[in-house]
Amino acid sequence: MLPQYATRLVAAGAAAASLVGPVLSATCQSYTSYSQYRHEPYSTGAYALSYQRPEPACRTFNSTAVEDAILQIKNLTTDPDLFRLFENTYPNTLDASISWRGFAANNTEEELAFIITGDIDAMWIRDSANQVAPYRSVLKSKDDDIASIFRGALNLQGRYLIISPYCNAFLPPPEANLHVQPNGASYAVTPPYDHHVVFTCNFELDDFGAFLQLSHDYYTRTGDVDFFGKFQWIQAIQSILAASEALRKPTYGPDGAWIPPAYTFQSQTMTAFGTLGNNGMNYPVNYTGMVRSPFRPSDDAAIYDFQIPANMMLSRYLEATAQIMEKLPNAPQGLAGEMREMAAGIRDGIEQYGVVTAPNGQRIFAYEVDGFGGQNLMDDANIPSLLSAPSLGYLEANDTIYQNTRKFVLSRSNPWWCQGSVINAVGSPHIKPGAAWPMAAIMRAMTSDDDDEIINSIWEVLQSTDRFGLIHESVNSFDASQWTRSWFGWGNAVFGQMIMELAERKPELLKESFQPRHRGSL
Ligand SMILES: *[C@@H]1O[C@H](CO)[C@@H](O)[C@H](O)[C@H]1NC(C)=O
Ligand SMILES: *[C@@H]1O[C@H](CO)[C@@H](O)[C@H](O)[C@H]1NC(C)=O
Ligand SMILES: *[C@@H]1O[C@H](CO)[C@@H](O)[C@H](O)[C@H]1NC(C)=O
Ligand SMILES: *[C@@H]1O[C@H](CO)[C@@H](O)[C@H](O)[C@H]1NC(C)=O
Ligand SMILES: *[C@@H]1O[C@H](CO)[C@@H](O)[C@H](O)[C@H]1NC(C)=O
């Protein structure tokens, strides 16, 4: 992400007043600056973590379900620092990221929610899905307060996916009446897009997976099938299928003739990962059944376009949401079948081309391949990652290839493994070597059944916040005072999710002490 291009949104006063809100008081400090300072009262453990929730009048959404969950976790935990980190992070999306809520101009029943990624005032499809997803733990019915956030996010994401399926971050909808500055950076992209709608247009396949996963979460928790037939969800799925099909095409046709790709991207940037080589087309690919993802979940350019984790996610959630599609009376004939067929084709492609031999002779998943035999062996902290595969529901954690892959990812054989005295976790070329991502330590805990490994991962995350009590994007693995992004909404959300899942899965671990003397030996 590119904070330097961030635009500030300014509510256009009277016009916005008729909408659901929020129109925060002018005295509310922006959370971007609020999160840069520590606030009392500090937690009473050794980490003295800051209290980071804005005062109630400055929160962007109130949910009794989420407040109840915070009290519940308070009861389950004994470590004051652990509870403080949860208390700050779990409600963070609601406290600070719901930039606007309202209804579609042409349908007074269609809820919309514009959810910003944190310190950048644009809505990323993936980030917004991941910022809302952790609330599935408290979502029980379509009448819950929090259900409206799911529907609002899905409706707006659906609209964006119909307008520009290859773009990843968007400006507020016209209904919000927010003054916006189009992104001033210079990009050359095909297909072209509207600069008043789109903020950035890096095509990242996991955006499709994120939308489908959030759809699945909402459906399985509420059973509200009618919602999916009412607005633009079916068209959004058609847009996803068409865009994916176009990016399954190989670089050369059966007669060897070059096939121009459906999507290209070039930008002026200081970083090689900020643009695509080969005139915006990236490296050639052979047919595999998988879908190209020229950019990664980090927004960095891929080396090889078939990103295995994003294809896992797409396959798993196309399959899952086909179950919704087949229940919709107004769905076009055969659409659910098309979703299943693509899901199966991608899964076959992963098995055939995505499983490779590691230097130690074990079979593991590659991070990226090109279908010609090119393979990139690594993992990146951003989700979907290889580490996250069981959390995506693509496979069981006891899968042999996954376990081999996990050992590789959490070892010095992974070029982005960051080891140190503060935190040991996967990093990302999005920052630099040696900068571990707490989000990857959180994902390690989420995908482990080993109590010591879970406790140690949480301990490292607690130690990594530099007493701010929020999840940083990356942290120098030897020095907690060197970190990036004071406000990283996605990371906060994933920490809250991990604790909520642990409360179900292994509540006894929440009773542990995470104070310094309890350091494990990993
Ligand atoms: C949340 O509740 C507080 C009072 O506790 C109120 O001042 C604030 O306006 C509410 N926020 C929204 C978005 O409704
Ligand atoms: C927390 O525990 C107390 C005492 O056991 C109990 O009375 C209360 O209902 C619990 N609250 C929640 C939200 O679970
Ligand atoms: C409603 O407006 C949205 C966004 O402007 C548009 O994409 C959609 O097609 C419209 N729906 C109808 C039924 O006109
Ligand atoms: C690449 O695709 C071509 C054409 O379909 C095929 O002949 C060739 O075997 C493929 N290469 C690999 C490594 O699969
Ligand atoms: C893997 O775990 C699943 C349940 O999560 C279980 O049904 C299956 O038998 C396990 N497989 C092996 C090989 O242990």
Side-chain angles (χ1 to χ4, degrees), residues 133-363:
Y135 301 125
R136 67 175 170 239
S137 299
V138 298
L139 177 63
K140 301 213 161 63
S141 123
K142 70 181 167 64
D143 301 317
D144 289 351
D145 49 15
I146 198 77
S148 153
I149 298 288
F150 280 78
R151 288 189 296 267
L154 287 168
N155 285 332
L156 191 52
Q157 290 169 347
R159 179 193 289 187
Y160 292 145
L161 287 166
I162 293 166
I163 297 174
S164 283
Y166 293 127
C167 297
N168 63 325
F170 294 84
L171 294 167
E175 287 92 336
N177 263 305
L178 295 163
H179 288 305
V180 294
Q181 284 283 318
N183 190 338
S186 162
Y187 302 119
V189 180
T190 51
Y193 58 82
D194 184 343
H195 289 255
H196 293 93
V197 176
V198 169
F199 181 71
T200 51
C201 196
N202 304 69
F203 178 58
E204 306 162 343
L205 185 62
D206 62 297
D207 286 339
F208 295 171
F211 173 75
L212 297 171
Q213 179 171 17
L214 196 65
S215 301
H216 168 78
D217 287 347
Y218 178 76
Y219 170 69
T220 50
R221 301 301 299 193
T222 65
D224 181 10
V225 71
D226 292 348
F227 164 73
F228 295 94
K230 270 194 206 161
F231 309 113
Q232 296 190 89
W233 190 78
I234 296 172
Q235 292 100 297
I237 299 291
Q238 288 174 310
S239 182
I240 286 174
L241 288 175
S244 299
E245 198 55 58
L247 289 190
R248 292 169 101 182
K249 285 204 169 69
T251 300
Y252 306 102
D255 59 352
W258 172 59
I259 306 172
Y263 167 87
T264 68
F265 177 102
Q266 285 180 287
S267 80
Q268 286 189 328
T269 168
M270 290 282 285
T271 152
F273 281 117
T275 187
L276 299 180
N278 190 19
N279 286 301
M281 296 181 285
N282 227 4
Y283 278 91
V285 293
N286 225 13
Y287 184 80
T288 63
M290 288 187 273
V291 181
R292 296 178 80 154
S293 184
F295 286 92
R296 296 174 179 164
S298 59
D299 296 352
D300 291 339
I303 290 178
Y304 300 119
D305 276 7
F306 294 125
Q307 210 243 1
I308 304 302
N311 275 281
M312 288 176 167
M313 189 183 197
L314 181 61
S315 173
R316 191 282 194 234
Y317 286 106
L318 272 176
E319 174 76 45
T321 50
Q323 291 169 33
I324 304 175
M325 191 63 84
E326 71 191 2
K327 293 199 173 72
L328 301 179
N330 54 337
Q333 189 75 29
L335 195 50
E338 248 180 79
M339 293 165 79
R340 289 211 168 89
E341 209 173 296
M342 185 177 284
I346 293 170
R347 191 175 274 272
D348 288 349
I350 293 170
E351 273 168 31
Q352 197 180 338
Y353 296 92
V355 180
V356 303
T357 304
N360 68 1
Q362 289 196 332
R363 300 290 283 166

Side-chain angles (χ1 to χ4, degrees), residues 414-430:
N414 171 10
W416 294 98
W417 173 246
C418 304
Q419 194 169 310
S421 50
V422 170
I423 180 169
N424 294 274
V426 181
S428 170
H430 193 64

Side-chain angles (χ1 to χ4, degrees), residues 396-399:
E396 297 280 355
N398 59 12
D399 181 284

Side-chain angles (χ1 to χ4, degrees), residues 471-483:
I471 303 300
H472 290 137
E473 178 189 48
S474 76
V475 177
N476 180 324
S477 60
F478 287 92
D479 180 357
S481 72
Q482 288 184 37
W483 44 263

Side-chain angles (χ1 to χ4, degrees), residues 20-24 55-63 94 98 101:
V20 174
V23 182
L24 294 182
E55 59 179 280
C58 294
R59 295 178 188 165
T60 60
F61 188 82
N62 295 312
S63 161
L94 302 182
I98 313 295
R101 289 172 63 231

